[in-house]
Amino acid sequence: MQQPLVFLESFDSTRATANDSEHHPNRAQAQTEALLYLLLGHSLALNNTYGMDSVSVLELADALLSTRAEALNRGRDREARARLAGARPVRVSWFGADNLLSACAGQFRRVEPGAKFRLSGWAQMDDDLEARKKLAAVLTENEGDPRQLPDPPAWLGRSYPELAERFDILLRLAEYSGRPNAGYASGVAQVQLADYLDHFTGLESEAVGELAERRHCPADIALRIRQEVSDRQGHVDLGKRGWAHDLVASSSSDEPGVHEQVREFVDTLYNAVLADSAGAQAGFMSSVPRVDDRVELKQVNALALETIRSRRGLVPAPLGPQRSEAAIPTVSGVFTAAETLPGLSVSALRQLFTTYWELVADHDRWPSWQGSCVRLNALLEETTKQRTRAAGPADGAPGSSPVTGRLREAWAGHLALLQGLLPDTLRADDGALVLAARHGGTDYAQVLQMEDLAPDVRADALAVGEHLSGLATAVAE
């Protein structure tokens, strides 16, 4: 049975949060979010852009595929080996091509001024146009066929030794994508980036203020972002997000804060488009983790989520202690320093994925875990239908759902089950699932809960996020 797809915004290849890119917190954020969603019974939607160009994703793919290979080599019986080999923790998609490597080759070849694909995970060769074309040719030697992978080019190891390992991981991901039910061609999102931005700029000031207030975002920040976007209508292609990144790159010393907020807003809307294109039923849309105590990016990320709901006609998320018990709950997340949550068991990220595969292979633990996942995700899907205003809830106030009580019960039950199955890995208490991991010598914690986040929790976190459902409307080409 195919698991529901979730798209993680933390996979975004353009994210950068510290000068030491090898150890900045986004790498830990992406992988801890990924593991928690795997434990909730989801598969991770991965498109060709992030699969090729996100260092966080390449690191994740390496960890997932390597630890599965190690699990398969531990002398399992036939049934356990079949489960390990048949699991699809990631489903890879590609757009406008026949397979993953061909799609990646097309991005390496995009070097024309004004349309250049800017490399992030391969930034060292971004301006080496000849190397980009040569690498694209290697990827398509056998028309990108995942059953006939090319040999790593010797020149890449000589000219860019640090990229040779990334090339190897990309080939392994391509091989995986060619397995049954592991890869597919993505479709065209019905709501594009320009549609979201046109919707936002077309709102009256009062409506913008209401969106901002619902998501703990100061109205002046929301109105300033609307003005920045409005000023560029007709001057840049709002359908591509590059203009927002150019804005930050060209900012003067007194402007970068405002322009970074615009970029955060645009990036979140853009990732909703990618989630739709990939056919993901939901996205976990999270802000860029910051280490300098700025709260504005978290506020702007939340504003973008409410803009998405507004444009798509989804019921706004209920907030705060005044919400009705019948209100459809929102799964929210916090990424923070582990020291803020004392008593956590901290593991190396790679060890956490080993633990995941051990759970998949375990005959005793597997059935109860999978049964709980199926029940929880069926109820999440049922409440997704209730979020659409056009359908409307069966009864009660807007945003209420007759299945809310069962969903909360299933959530609590699943957390209790995970705590029992993985007592040395997770903590589940007060309705929150907590995972701590070490990356680059620093300990981080990721929390998921079926409640809105309190303003003080948002302010203290490195990053925050929300589970946004009802995204998949893409039409296959």
Side-chain angles (χ1 to χ4, degrees), residues 364-424:
D364 295 326
R365 294 184 293 170
W366 165 266
S368 59
W369 172 47
Q370 282 301 288
S372 182
C373 286
V374 169
R375 178 172 182 249
L376 174 63
N377 290 319
L379 289 167
L380 281 171
E381 176 63 22
E382 200 170 337
T383 56
T384 293
K385 297 173 183 176
Q386 298 291 335
R387 287 192 184 279
T388 305
R389 290 195 181 102
D395 53 60
S400 68
S401 167
V403 301
T404 292
R406 286 185 287 142
L407 176 59
R408 291 185 185 279
E409 179 184 338
W411 175 263
H414 193 70
L415 266 57
L417 177 70
L418 288 175
Q419 176 75 81
L421 295 177
L422 304 170
D424 299 324

Side-chain angles (χ1 to χ4, degrees), residues 73 158 170 201 243 251 335 376 378 446 455:
N73 289 332
R158 291 193 301 268
L170 178 59
T201 57
W243 68 269
S251 294
F335 179 71
L376 174 63
Q446 183 74 50

